[in-house]
Amino acid sequence: MDDSAHIRVQLRSDPCYLAGVRQLVAGVCQRIGMGDTACSQVALAVDEALANVIRHGYGRAADRPIWLSLWPLEKGDGHGPGIRLEIEDEAKQIDVSELKGRALDDPKPGGLGVHIIREVMDEVVYDKRSPCGMRLTMVKYAPCDDPECGPGH
Amino acid sequence: MQDNSLPVDIDRRPGATILSPRGDVDMSRAPSFRERVREAQAGRPARLVIDMGAVEYMDSSGLATLVEAMRNARTEGVELVLCALNPRVKAIFEIARLHQFFRIVPTVADAVEA
């Protein structure tokens, strides 16, 4: 079975494109019937992931490549339709065990992105690409008891 | 050329300055927002109200700007009040567990009178 992405886009690591990517992701999630809340959460997670690549991976350089790939997921037992996303870069590789959200009991500016991603997505996996860069794989399913949960695609 | 500035209306009233950002506050626009907030805080108003009613979307970059504003306000003796958060923006405060650290009220009138 062909597992190639249904959508794959390459963008430059320029924060000005985050709004466009959010619209793309939210639009796809809406089309496959995920409901408004889940669509907003997926768009937020993608925004945070891209911002982390730009900020930490590329040191705010605005001319480096980032790839975003999407696969719709069928409804299953206990969940509605969903989406799998991969975000890949050519940034410096890091120890994935260091990617933890920081403690939230002391409000400080910054460091919230990883926490937000883990909070809103169902599966979050960071790994190293070969020969360089990092890959973030995220999965989100719409809850089947969500009244917004649509008919799928 | 892309414009990364965030439109922010400023209303200076006796006892309170009201900032009203308009649009999405993400990584591209948070620096512009931060600049406007710092300018308003530099005037040392007794109360700084940030009216979020026209902010449709905010990510952790916007949250970081507001957390910095809160810390500066405490240091400088300025009372910081947020108001009119839409449900999506309110949700990100809750995800980040930050709602408990801010004074958040429903409307601008509430914020000015609070």
Side-chain angles (χ1 to χ4, degrees), chain A residues 14 22 47-48 55 107 115, chain B residues 24 26 59-61 71 95:
Chain A
D14 189 323
R22 289 195 301 271
D47 175 296
E48 295 291 349
R55 186 180 291 118
H115 166 79
Chain B
D24 292 357
D26 63 8
D59 68 7
S60 65
S61 305
R71 291 164 72 102
I95 291 165

Side-chain angles (χ1 to χ4, degrees), chain B residues 11-90:
Chain B
D11 179 4
R12 291 188 173 86
R13 301 181 187 181
T17 294
I18 303 167
L19 286 187
S20 303
R22 287 182 281 122
D24 292 357
V25 184
D26 63 8
M27 186 185 179
S28 67
R29 289 178 155 180
S32 166
F33 182 39
R34 180 175 183 269
E35 214 171 295
R36 298 286 89 75
V37 172
R38 287 304 296 148
E39 285 169 5
Q41 286 186 308
R44 297 291 176 96
R47 179 173 298 177
L48 177 61
V49 174
I50 302 185
D51 169 14
M52 303 290 286
V55 173
E56 292 154 26
Y57 173 87
M58 192 169 71
D59 68 7
S60 65
S61 305
L63 284 180
T65 299
L66 293 174
V67 169
E68 182 186 273
M70 175 183 66
R71 291 164 72 102
N72 290 338
R74 285 178 181 170
T75 305
E76 296 163 358
V78 174
E79 189 178 6
L80 178 68
V81 185
L82 309 183
C83 66
L85 279 64
N86 76 29
R88 273 207 302 179
V89 172
K90 197 172 181 185

Side-chain angles (χ1 to χ4, degrees), chain A residues 9-90:
Chain A
V9 295
Q10 177 176 334
L11 65 144
R12 285 165 63 119
S13 54
D14 189 323
C16 77
Y17 299 121
L18 292 176
V21 174
R22 289 195 301 271
Q23 288 178 358
L24 166 70
V25 170
V28 171
C29 291
Q30 198 82 50
R31 183 66 185 84
I32 62 180
M34 292 185 68
D36 288 346
T37 301
C39 293
S40 297
Q41 290 175 331
V42 175
L44 174 63
V46 169
D47 175 296
E48 295 291 349
L50 294 175
N52 277 345
V53 171
I54 296 168
R55 186 180 291 118
H56 303 297
Y58 288 143
R60 297 180 186 270
D63 58 352
R64 303 296 306 280
I66 305 175
W67 296 272
L68 169 67
S69 304
L70 311 177
W71 293 259
L73 301 172
E74 299 289 338
K75 284 180 181 179
D77 287 342
H79 62 75
I83 192 163
R84 174 161 67 98
L85 309 103
E86 282 185 3
I87 293 171
E88 299 167 279
D89 61 54
E90 292 181 341

